[in-house]
Amino acid sequence: MSSYAQKRGFLATLWDYLTTVDHKKIAVLYLVAGGFFFVLGGIEAILIRVQLAVPNNDFLSADMFNQVMTMHGTTMIFFAAMPLLFALMNAVLPLQIGARDVAFPFVNALGFWMFFFGGIFLNLSWFLGGAPDAGWTSYASLSLASEGKRIDFYTLGIQISGFGTLMAGINFLVTIINMRTTGMTFMRMPMFTWTTFVASALILFAFPPLTISIFFLIFDRLFGSQFFNVEMGGNTIIWEHLFWIFGHPEVYILVLPAFGIFSEVISIFSRKRLFGYASMVFATVLIGFLGFMVWAHHMFTTGLGPIANAIFAVATMAIAVPTGIKIFNWLLTMWGGSIKLTTPMLYALGFIPSFVIGGVTGIMNAASMADYQYHDTYFVVGHFHYTILGGVVFAILAGLHLYWPKMFGTMLNETLGKITFWLFFIGFHLTFFVQHFLGLMGMPRRTYTFLEGQGLETGNMVSSIGAAFMAVGAIVLVINIIITSVKNQKVGNDPWEDGRTLEWSVSSPPPHYNFKQLPLVRGIDAYWIEKMEGRKEMTPAEPLGDIHMPNSSFIPFMISFGLFVAAFGAMYRPDYSWGLPVLVGGLVITFGSMLIRSLKDDHGHYIKKEELMDDSDKGVQA
Amino acid sequence: MQIQEKLSFETWPAAPEKETLEGQNKVLGFWLFLGGETVLFATLFATYLALKDSVPGPGHALAKDLFSMPLVFLMTMLLLTSSLTSVYAIYHMKNFNAKKMKFWFVVTVLLGLGFLACEIYEFNHYVRDFNHTFSSSAFGSAFYTLVGFHGAHVIFGLGWITGLVVRNWRRELSLYTAPKFYLASLYWHFIDVVWVFIFSVVYLMGMVG
């Protein structure tokens, strides 16, 4: 059954990726799609900064600015940051726990295609009457007033991709609980696995409220319900609550895997075991738990009353404790280590002070009385870009450089990588540091222009120059990727030479069954232990035998495509008579595909023992 | 034990749904999914409680005007009984008795259909006699969304169990199909549990005031 690997040609490759259920190929799909949306979101960010570079600018109209600003936030959160993290999780996580794939390879593919079609649907709005314009939070009072189909692209697009995210979350949870190899106890799991585990649990419990609130908005706008219509007894504050009950855990869903990546990077390049591993695990779980207790700190000015505000303020400040534990653990991991200043390590070093600034301004925001001053100003914009860009995007870039050889078998150029880092790091601080002061001077966020003579000119100009630095940095990264892909110099199992965990014990890229024999784990940093004892490979935990692998399938694509079609039907149903048949037709495609999946037996296939003995250079050996 | 192995009553394991790694993954994954579903319904309940009796003006029916105990009691009995019959089905699945298992699943489906018929009658009654619709008030939207989501789950569950029974009508049990039946019954129990909450929160609390 390994014959499918021998197919050649573009169409065969395309078909391979459309039907793949291999976590490593799905990682590539997430990376390409997430990278594409990251570029779109980045272009939107540049447009915002061009518009705000000088006072009274008319580069973008107010209406266009609203669309660009909304799409920048929505794209970056849902369609760039999350899929890029999923790319790294898919690429590395099964390898880190010594598994041959995720628990549900089919669902893994389904999750990707849901995200993909959701993102495409959302972005088609640019060509079909305008993009969403109510901000990424899409507060009901704004979004119900938005005319045309703009908000419907937002709701339906997010809904489809949200289903995919939920599936990915459940999949990673089951993978981590059930698929660990012999000896890989919970307290020996690499930090990236741990943070993915907690982030997945957050996904599981945070996405349903989003699903429901988006359903409310879909129903209100397209099917005549009255959830948010105050005249008919509705209440728009329900949207705010439900959105932030999702929205706050969401930021931890993003930043916890980022913490995991930095834990790996700092440990690898300090060539030391992670300091305070147990406290790191504890802090991760505690952040995940507290993340659900703080949503109303986004709503201090809504008028929930002083008692509610005080409770949420204190709960928010409490999160600083586990986060502080993590920061000190990273610092003490580096303490006395033999540090190698590689590109990923530079990102990690840049991350720590940047994220601390974001954390400190977070505490300032958490003080609910003071927040009345900061609310809806550029202070908040500065704050969350310090956490999300300084935390999540730095981590994605660090992880990309770190795991690029594991994903593609070739190293990114270190010199160009460091140039990217410095451009990005300097540009990031130029752009966002000054925004705190703009906010304190009273510049409101989400406003398309400002007047001259109010002291806002210099700050905004500096901010826009910084954005240009980041854009150049991103271009250097793309050049780097192209150059190294063309050169394609193959590397061995452990290209950084200091790999500590199981993913570095297999070839780069790994064979599609990952491990010929599942490895035996004898402690934290399993591969490092073997290396320190003079071995080159992991000790196998099982005799060489047939390997069971899942079959490829086109059904995930069809299930997601059905929802994509149905979304168009739902959206145009109030205006055109063809809407309803298209809605029903799309659902028929989706549920029909699900039915086929359910009725058709799929036992997967086996890679025979004899086949494995031929290519003895791959995977763990006996 | 291999997944496609032909098994007999003697060799059938005590927990066939968890005998293979695939089965273990499915059972755990499904429990986690139900955890997410719990939050989903919790959100709907919270919204319902926030918008209960929230109508634009006098003349709109409120919860205390709408609900009647006999119908809701009948629906509750139908659904609770169907949960019991699905337990019988799984009991026979664990004893490698595919025939009896399918029989009890068919009974489960029939009871579920009875519940669904009552719900359709109920909604129709509210719309025609009380002018209580999806669009008439925020209360109406919240009510039909909460109870309707549950109803949609019932429809999906009925389709699922029917599909499984039809597909396996002529087949013996195997370690491949056992987890499928087990998960369908888990789903059905979940629907039942949600209904217990709907019965208490929507109907009982609605009638008391």
Side-chain angles (χ1 to χ4, degrees):
Chain A
M1 285 300 276
S2 66
S3 61
Y4 83 100
Q6 261 98 56
K7 277 188 210 161
R8 296 273 192 275
F10 174 73
L11 281 179
T13 313
L14 183 69
W15 180 249
D16 187 23
Y17 274 92
L18 287 177
T19 60
T20 188
V21 294
D22 179 354
H23 71 96
K24 296 175 289 295
K25 286 183 180 158
I26 291 171
V28 175
L29 288 173
Y30 267 119
L31 184 64
V32 172
F36 170 71
F37 288 121
F38 186 74
V39 170
L40 280 188
I43 291 171
E44 283 149 7
I46 296 296
L47 294 178
I48 292 173
R49 279 328 307 173
V50 170
Q51 164 65 19
L52 291 175
V54 290
N56 286 320
N57 201 356
D58 59 357
F59 175 72
L60 296 175
S61 67
D63 178 48
M64 191 47 116
F65 184 87
N66 286 345
Q67 298 176 46
V68 169
M69 166 275 285
T70 301
M71 287 296 281
H72 166 69
T74 312
T75 305
M76 284 301 196
I77 296 276
F78 290 104
F79 300 105
M82 294 201 59
L84 288 172
L85 287 172
F86 281 158
L88 294 170
M89 291 175 188
N90 265 305
V92 179
L93 189 136
L95 298 171
Q96 281 199 330
I97 60 171
R100 295 214 165 95
D101 206 325
V102 291
F104 307 111
F106 179 91
V107 175
N108 202 13
L110 183 58
F112 168 76
W113 289 111
M114 291 264 187
F115 140 71
F116 179 76
F117 278 112
I120 295 294
F121 185 84
L122 175 69
N123 277 283
L124 282 177
S125 61
W126 288 114
F127 310 104
L128 297 169
D133 56 357
W136 86 279
T137 56
S138 205
Y139 274 17
S141 39
L142 288 174
S143 52
L144 286 186
S146 172
E147 302 198 341
K149 296 293 168 200
R150 295 174 172 189
I151 301 299
D152 304 319
F153 280 104
Y154 172 92
T155 53
L156 294 161
I158 300 276
Q159 193 70 309
I160 296 172
S161 78
F163 292 144
T165 308
L166 186 63
M167 287 172 203
I170 293 176
N171 202 350
F172 286 130
L173 282 173
V174 179
T175 305
I176 294 170
I177 296 172
N178 273 0
M179 308 280 283
R180 284 166 291 124
T181 187
T182 314
M184 179 58 83
T185 59
F186 269 98
M187 289 310 275
R188 284 177 183 173
M189 293 196 314
M191 265 326 283
F192 183 52
T193 301
W194 255 114
T195 53
T196 302
F197 182 67
V198 175
S200 300
L202 293 184
I203 288 174
L204 177 61
F205 295 117
F207 266 73
L210 177 74
T211 307
I212 289 300
S213 55
I214 296 254
F215 264 131
F216 290 164
L217 200 51
I218 292 174
F219 291 168
D220 264 20
R221 284 184 56 95
L222 298 172
F223 295 93
S225 67
Q226 313 288 358
F227 287 103
F228 306 124
N229 187 351
V230 181
E231 283 166 46
M232 299 297 278
N235 185 345
T236 63
I237 306 300
I238 290 175
W239 169 272
E240 292 186 30
H241 278 294
L242 295 185
F243 185 86
W244 287 117
I245 287 173
F246 148 77
H248 200 79
E250 165 71 12
V251 303
Y252 294 111
I253 293 168
L254 294 175
V255 89
L256 285 178
F259 289 169
I261 292 167
F262 284 127
S263 300
E264 303 287 333
V265 168
I266 290 173
S267 172
I268 289 174
F269 296 111
S270 302
R271 291 182 264 193
K272 252 181 83 186
R273 199 181 124 167
L274 188 68
F275 185 89
Y277 174 85
S279 70
M280 213 64 157
V281 171
F282 166 76
T284 307
V285 175
L286 192 60
I287 290 174
F289 179 75
L290 289 175
F292 279 102
M293 310 286 157
V294 297
W295 79 88
H297 68 212
H298 298 268
M299 301 165 62
F300 281 151
T301 61
T302 303
L304 301 178
I307 293 178
N309 279 6
I311 290 170
F312 281 101
V314 172
T316 305
M317 292 179 194
I319 294 188
V321 176
T323 315
I325 292 176
K326 280 176 170 282
I327 298 281
F328 283 110
N329 279 337
W330 288 318
L331 292 176
L332 289 167
T333 305
M334 285 188 268
W335 185 280
S338 142
I339 294 177
K340 249 201 229 171
L341 281 181
T342 58
T343 309
M345 191 61 179
L346 281 178
Y347 279 108
L349 293 174
F351 151 79
I352 292 177
S354 309
F355 195 81
V356 167
I357 294 174
V360 169
T361 53
I363 295 294
M364 290 170 73
N365 278 318
S368 58
M369 314 71 95
D371 184 67
Y372 274 72
Q373 190 66 30
Y374 313 136
H375 190 89
D376 262 347
T377 69
Y378 262 82
F379 186 84
V380 175
V381 179
H383 157 70
F384 70 69
H385 280 94
Y386 262 79
T387 54
I388 292 192
L389 221 156
V392 182
V393 176
F394 277 19
I396 288 170
L397 292 171
L400 212 56
H401 285 85
L402 179 69
Y403 290 122
W404 194 269
K406 197 42 73 183
M407 290 177 80
F408 299 101
T410 181
M411 294 274 270
L412 287 175
N413 183 297
E414 275 289 284
T415 316
L416 287 174
K418 284 173 186 168
I419 293 173
T420 309
F421 165 76
W422 284 112
L423 284 168
F424 227 86
F425 185 73
I426 294 168
F428 158 70
H429 281 282
L430 273 180
T431 308
F432 296 109
F433 191 73
V434 69
Q435 288 188 357
H436 295 105
F437 298 97
L438 288 172
L440 293 176
M441 285 186 253
M443 182 168 162
R445 66 191 280 205
R446 294 178 169 169
T447 304
Y448 80 107
T449 192
F450 57 95
L451 297 174
E452 26 186 340
Q454 297 184 328
L456 302 175
E457 288 97 332
T458 318
N460 275 297
M461 184 46 99
V462 170
S463 187
S464 295
I465 292 170
F469 271 81
M470 284 194 276
V472 177
I475 292 169
V476 174
L477 176 63
V478 173
I479 293 171
N480 192 353
I481 289 172
I482 293 171
I483 290 178
T484 46
S485 303
V486 171
K487 275 191 188 163
N488 202 12
Q489 284 174 334
K490 289 295 169 199
V491 292
N493 293 6
D494 187 11
W496 297 102
E497 293 164 5
D498 299 307
R500 311 177 69 83
T501 40
L502 289 178
E503 72 268 31
W504 304 110
S505 72
V506 291
S507 63
S508 312
H512 74 279
Y513 44 82
N514 291 356
F515 299 95
K516 186 180 283 185
Q517 289 162 288
L518 293 180
L520 176 71
V521 171
R522 299 192 294 141
I524 299 176
D525 295 337
Y527 185 45
W528 186 261
I529 293 176
E530 305 292 332
K531 283 200 285 190
M532 286 303 104
E533 293 181 7
R535 276 183 284 275
K536 287 205 165 66
E537 289 136 2
M538 298 300 298
T539 316
E542 59 173 13
L544 190 63
D546 296 351
I547 295 176
H548 183 234
M549 296 299 289
N551 287 335
S552 304
S553 172
F554 191 54
I555 294 176
F557 184 92
M558 289 307 290
I559 294 177
S560 319
F561 177 70
L563 287 181
F564 179 72
V565 173
F568 275 106
M571 191 165 61
Y572 288 113
R573 189 195 55 90
D575 311 304
Y576 302 98
S577 56
W578 52 262
L580 191 61
V582 172
L583 170 60
V584 174
L587 292 178
V588 167
I589 297 176
T590 296
F591 285 104
S593 308
M594 284 167 71
L595 192 68
I596 292 171
R597 170 68 183 171
S598 177
L599 298 187
K600 226 179 109 201
D601 283 2
D602 180 4
H603 293 294
H605 61 271
Y606 284 90
I607 301 173
K608 290 271 171 275
K609 193 174 159 182
E610 296 72 39
E611 259 177 272
L612 293 170
M613 292 201 275
D614 296 337
D615 41 23
S616 54
D617 58 330
K618 285 176 184 167
V620 178
Q621 292 167 2
Chain B
M1 234 176 259
Q2 290 291 331
I3 195 162
Q4 280 151 294
E5 212 172 309
K6 281 261 177 285
L7 294 165
S8 66
F9 181 76
E10 282 72 30
T11 53
W12 190 241
E17 73 279 2
K18 282 181 255 182
E19 188 62 29
T20 59
L21 178 62
E22 286 85 352
Q24 287 164 22
N25 287 346
K26 279 185 177 178
V27 171
L28 177 64
F30 203 77
W31 272 108
L32 293 171
F33 168 73
L34 291 182
E37 286 262 274
T38 306
V39 181
L40 189 124
F41 275 103
T43 313
L44 286 168
F45 274 107
T47 310
Y48 174 79
L49 287 174
L51 294 178
K52 185 186 166 219
D53 289 344
S54 183
V55 291
H60 285 264
L62 302 179
K64 62 178 167 39
D65 311 319
L66 286 170
F67 308 136
S68 74
M69 188 47 105
L71 179 67
V72 182
F73 180 75
L74 174 66
M75 289 166 75
T76 309
M77 282 303 119
L78 283 172
L79 206 60
L80 287 184
T81 315
S82 79
S83 210
L84 179 69
T85 55
S86 77
V87 172
Y88 289 157
I90 292 305
Y91 170 80
H92 290 298
M93 187 272 276
K94 296 213 174 191
N95 284 308
F96 200 66
N97 192 334
K99 266 211 183 83
K100 282 190 178 162
M101 177 195 75
K102 280 174 253 180
F103 169 76
W104 284 112
F105 269 131
V106 171
V107 175
T108 305
V109 168
L110 291 177
L111 288 166
L113 283 174
F115 171 86
L116 207 59
C118 291
E119 187 151 82
I120 291 168
Y121 166 79
E122 184 205 5
F123 283 7
N124 192 37
H125 169 65
Y126 295 154
V127 170
R128 274 211 282 176
D129 302 339
F130 292 94
N131 204 19
H132 176 69
T133 70
F134 190 56
S135 309
S136 65
S137 64
F139 171 46
S141 307
F143 170 80
Y144 286 110
T145 306
L146 169 58
V147 184
F149 252 82
H150 176 265
H153 276 71
V154 171
I155 294 173
F156 188 84
L158 290 176
W160 184 1
I161 296 177
T162 311
L164 277 179
V165 170
V166 171
R167 173 70 181 92
N168 295 290
W169 194 247
R170 288 171 195 288
R171 294 208 293 184
E172 259 309 334
L173 280 162
S174 71
L175 294 179
Y176 181 68
T177 53
K180 294 183 175 225
F181 286 112
Y182 187 80
L183 295 192
S185 84
L186 265 188
Y187 185 74
W188 196 255
H189 288 311
F190 176 76
I191 290 172
D192 200 49
V193 170
V194 172
W195 179 259
V196 170
F197 280 89
I198 290 181
F199 179 73
S200 320
V201 172
V202 176
Y203 292 102
L204 286 185
M205 279 170 65
M207 275 180 271
V208 175

